[in-house]
Amino acid sequence: MARGFIKGDRQQIFLLPPSVDDWVPEDHPVRFVHLCLDQMDLRCFYESYASEGRPPYDPQTMLGILIYAYSKGLRSSRKISKACEDEIPFRWISGNIVPDHRAICRFRARHENEFKKFFNETLRLCSESGLLKLGKIFLDGTKVKANAALSANRTLDHINKILEEAETIDREEDKEYGEAERGDRLPKELADPKERIKRIKAAKKRLDNELKQKQDKQAKKVEDHKAFGPRKGRKPKSPDEITTKKKANITDPESRIMKGRKGFVQAYNCQAVCTEDQIIVSADVTQEENDLHQLEPMLKQTESTLRETEIDEKVKALVADAGYFREDLDIKTIEEEGPELFVCTKKSHKLRNELKDKGNPTGRIPNNISNRDRMDRRILTKRGYNIYRKRSYTIEPVFGQIKQCLNLDSFLRRGLKAVKSECILACSISNLMKLFRKKAMV
C-alpha cells in the first residue's frame, strides 16, 4: 500500500479574513518587544518630528522593527525591509507596512541622540522587574571594526598629494568644460568628489594637528637646551625638521588603527559596564587605542545613567582587568566617593600562577607600599580573587553575545557619533533579550 503524506494547499480559501495576529504565538519574542515598547516613555522620538508635511512612519513601529531585526542579527536596512515583506514576525511588529531601506536608514540616523534615552528606558524596565542588581559591576572593552579598510590609511604627504591632484584636475576641467559642467576624468581614488575630498580634508586636519603638537613639544626641548647650556648627547632637532609618520583613514577619519587579537584592525574601542546578571548599565565608544584612561569616564557615565533612570541602589565594587591599571590611578579619591576598586595589575595567567605559588596574603597591609602593590594584595586575597574571577562569566560573555548573536562584529555607519548610537542600540537590545530570557516582566 502506498505511503500517504500530509500536503499543504496554497489555494485554500479562508472562511474569514486572515489576521496576522493569529500567526504569531503568544510567547514569541516579537510580542515581548512590542510589550516593552508599550511600557516605555518614547516621547523624545515623537517630538523630533514637525506637524507639517507628509506623515512619517510611527516611531514606535520603526523602533520595534529595528529592535527585533537587531535581535535576529539583521542590521542591513535592505535586509530588514525585505524581512518586513517576507517574514510573519516582521509583518506583525510593523503592522503590515513595508518601509523601504531609505526610511529605515533615515530613522536610524535621525534618532542618534534618542537611542541613549531608549537605553535608559530598557535599564528602568530591568530595574522594575528585579533583574538589575548593582552590588558589583564589571568593566571591559573590545575592538569593533570600523566601516573602513585598513588599506585606506594615508600619510600626510600622500593626503597633500591627493588634494593637490584633485585641485589641479578641477582647475583643468573647469577650464575645459566650464564651472557648471561635471568632469568625468577624476581618478578612481577621487570618484566621489564632494564626500571623498571632505573625508580626505578631515584626515589631513587630524594629521596636521598631531604634527603641530609634536613640533611644539620639540620647540620646548630646543628652548630648554638653550636655557640650560650645552649638554652631553645629541643636539635636539629644530621644530621644522620634525615630521609625522602617522596615518589617517580617508574613508572614516575618526576611526583608528588598533591592535586586536588577530593583528591590527581599523576600529573603534567599545567600552561597557555590566552587572553580575550581564545587564549593561553603561556603554560608550572611544578612539583611544587602549583602555588605560577609561576607568574614570566609564564610572562617571555609569553614575550619570543611574541618576537619569532614578535608580537609587549604590554600586559597591567595580572590577576591571590589567588594561585599566596605571600608576597614577587615584584609587583613594575614587573609593572615597564611589565603589571599591578591584583592578588587576597583571595578566590573568600570571595572577593564577602567583596565587598558586604564594597563596593568599595574610596579615596587616604595610603602610608605605605603592598603588600597584596594594592593589595586587587586594586582588590576591581570597575575597578579592573570588570577586575578580567573576569577570570571565559576566562582562566578557556580553561582548561575545553582542558580536555573535547581534552580529555587531563591525559597524555599518561611519563617524564617532554614528557608531556610538549603533553601539548603544545594540546594548539596549542585549538588555531586552536578557529580560525576555529571564521571564522577569510583570
Side-chain angles (χ1 to χ4, degrees):
M1 185 175 177
R3 175 67 174 162
F5 294 95
I6 299 174
K7 294 185 178 180
D9 184 1
R10 295 184 183 85
Q11 304 302 318
Q12 175 68 48
I13 298 173
F14 288 92
L15 180 62
L16 297 172
S19 169
V20 71
D21 194 59
D22 296 335
W23 294 85
V24 179
E26 290 295 328
D27 59 349
H28 198 281
V30 77
R31 289 187 182 272
F32 176 79
V33 170
H34 179 68
L35 178 63
C36 288
L37 290 174
D38 275 345
Q39 298 183 47
M40 291 181 182
D41 182 3
L42 302 176
R43 283 177 294 179
C44 59
F45 286 88
Y46 288 88
E47 288 168 358
S48 66
Y49 293 95
S51 57
E52 299 175 354
R54 183 182 175 184
Y57 288 110
D58 178 53
Q60 182 172 327
T61 301
M62 294 295 287
L63 190 57
I65 292 170
L66 270 184
I67 293 169
Y68 184 67
Y70 270 60
S71 73
K72 305 298 289 183
L74 281 179
R75 293 190 298 135
S76 163
S77 57
R78 283 179 169 81
K79 289 182 179 179
I80 294 172
S81 179
K82 189 173 187 302
C84 288
E85 186 175 357
D86 294 346
E87 299 184 26
I88 290 172
F90 279 95
R91 292 191 74 96
W92 188 89
I93 194 72
S94 68
N96 273 324
I97 61 171
V98 183
D100 62 24
H101 68 277
R102 288 166 295 184
I104 294 168
C105 279
R106 285 195 297 267
F107 180 85
R108 194 159 41 189
R110 182 190 187 105
H111 297 290
E112 284 178 346
N113 297 327
E114 283 74 26
F115 285 140
K116 177 64 173 70
K117 296 176 182 177
F118 169 65
F119 174 80
N120 290 352
E121 285 296 305
T122 65
L123 209 56
R124 182 183 61 80
L125 284 184
C126 290
S127 177
E128 290 176 358
S129 66
L131 190 59
L132 185 65
K133 297 171 185 176
L134 286 170
K136 303 177 188 70
I137 57 174
F138 303 84
L139 168 64
D140 203 3
T142 188
K143 310 297 189 297
V144 178
K145 291 179 184 177
N147 189 0
L150 193 62
S151 59
N153 285 282
R154 300 288 185 271
T155 61
L156 184 58
D157 290 341
H158 194 163
I159 290 172
N160 285 331
K161 185 178 178 182
I162 292 172
L163 290 173
E164 287 171 10
E165 184 181 356
E167 288 174 6
T168 302
I169 292 172
D170 283 345
R171 283 196 299 270
E172 290 175 357
E173 290 184 345
D174 286 346
K175 187 176 179 181
E176 184 175 351
Y177 299 107
E179 291 186 8
E181 296 295 327
R182 178 187 165 206
D184 293 312
R185 297 185 182 179
L186 286 174
K188 184 179 179 182
E189 200 166 22
L190 303 166
D192 184 3
K194 291 182 180 178
E195 288 300 318
R196 189 72 168 173
I197 292 178
K198 183 180 177 182
R199 291 197 206 103
I200 292 172
K201 286 182 177 178
K204 181 181 184 299
K205 184 179 178 182
R206 177 197 150 198
L207 291 178
D208 282 337
N209 290 338
E210 290 181 359
L211 179 59
K212 188 176 183 305
Q213 289 174 6
K214 288 181 73 175
Q215 288 175 337
D216 291 344
K217 189 176 179 181
Q218 189 65 21
K220 190 175 184 305
K221 281 185 181 179
V222 172
E223 288 175 10
D224 291 344
H225 187 270
K226 289 178 180 177
F228 292 105
R231 296 181 183 179
K232 292 182 179 180
R234 190 179 299 172
K235 183 181 177 181
K237 293 181 180 179
S238 70
D240 294 334
E241 295 179 86
I242 297 297
T243 58
T244 180
K245 294 182 179 180
K246 286 193 174 182
K247 295 182 178 182
N249 195 283
I250 57 177
T251 305
D252 185 357
E254 296 186 4
S255 64
R256 297 290 184 267
I257 299 174
M258 298 184 182
K259 189 174 182 181
R261 290 179 180 273
K262 298 180 181 179
F264 289 95
V265 290
Q266 195 71 32
Y268 289 93
N269 186 354
C270 295
Q271 300 286 313
V273 177
C274 80
T275 66
E276 289 188 71
D277 293 310
Q278 298 183 356
I279 299 298
I280 302 170
V281 292
S282 66
D284 200 8
V285 178
T286 176
Q287 297 164 305
E288 296 291 326
E289 288 85 354
N290 55 54
D291 301 330
L292 206 58
H293 297 280
Q294 300 308 313
L295 190 145
E296 294 99 319
M298 289 306 297
L299 181 56
K300 287 179 181 177
Q301 185 173 321
T302 301
E303 292 169 348
S304 173
T305 301
L306 295 176
R307 281 196 303 271
E308 289 170 7
T309 49
E310 299 180 351
I311 296 171
D312 298 327
E313 191 178 352
K314 297 294 183 183
V315 177
K316 295 177 182 177
L318 185 147
V319 184
D321 65 13
Y324 293 87
F325 185 83
R326 61 181 196 275
E327 291 294 345
D328 63 341
L329 184 65
D330 195 351
I331 297 172
K332 186 177 179 181
T333 303
I334 293 171
E335 293 186 336
E336 282 175 357
E337 302 173 357
E340 185 180 7
L341 296 184
F342 292 86
V343 185
C344 196
T345 63
K346 52 178 71 74
K347 295 289 185 181
S348 295
H349 69 276
K350 292 182 180 179
L351 182 69
R352 287 193 297 270
N353 290 340
E354 186 173 344
L355 198 60
K356 186 178 178 181
D357 294 340
K358 298 180 181 179
N360 303 113
T362 56
R364 287 188 178 183
I365 300 174
N367 292 326
N368 301 320
I369 62 172
S370 65
N371 264 355
R372 180 179 290 274
D373 292 337
R374 187 179 294 273
M375 188 56 69
D376 266 345
R377 186 181 176 89
R378 180 182 293 179
I379 296 286
L380 287 169
T381 61
K382 190 173 181 180
R383 171 178 171 264
Y385 187 68
N386 285 337
I387 291 174
Y388 179 75
R389 67 190 299 190
K390 291 181 180 180
R391 278 190 66 261
S392 61
Y393 53 86
T394 51
I395 187 62
E396 290 181 0
V398 166
F399 285 129
Q401 292 155 11
I402 289 175
K403 285 186 172 183
Q404 296 300 318
C405 302
L406 302 188
N407 202 23
L408 192 75
D409 56 344
S410 62
F411 289 114
L412 283 178
R413 305 184 65 207
R414 292 172 181 149
L416 184 60
K417 187 180 178 183
V419 299
K420 276 187 178 184
S421 71
E422 201 170 350
C423 177
I424 286 290
L425 180 60
C427 290
S428 306
I429 294 163
S430 174
N431 284 348
L432 285 181
M433 292 300 103
K434 288 286 188 302
L435 198 56
F436 172 72
R437 292 185 184 95
K438 292 286 185 179
K439 302 291 184 182
M441 280 294 294
V442 178

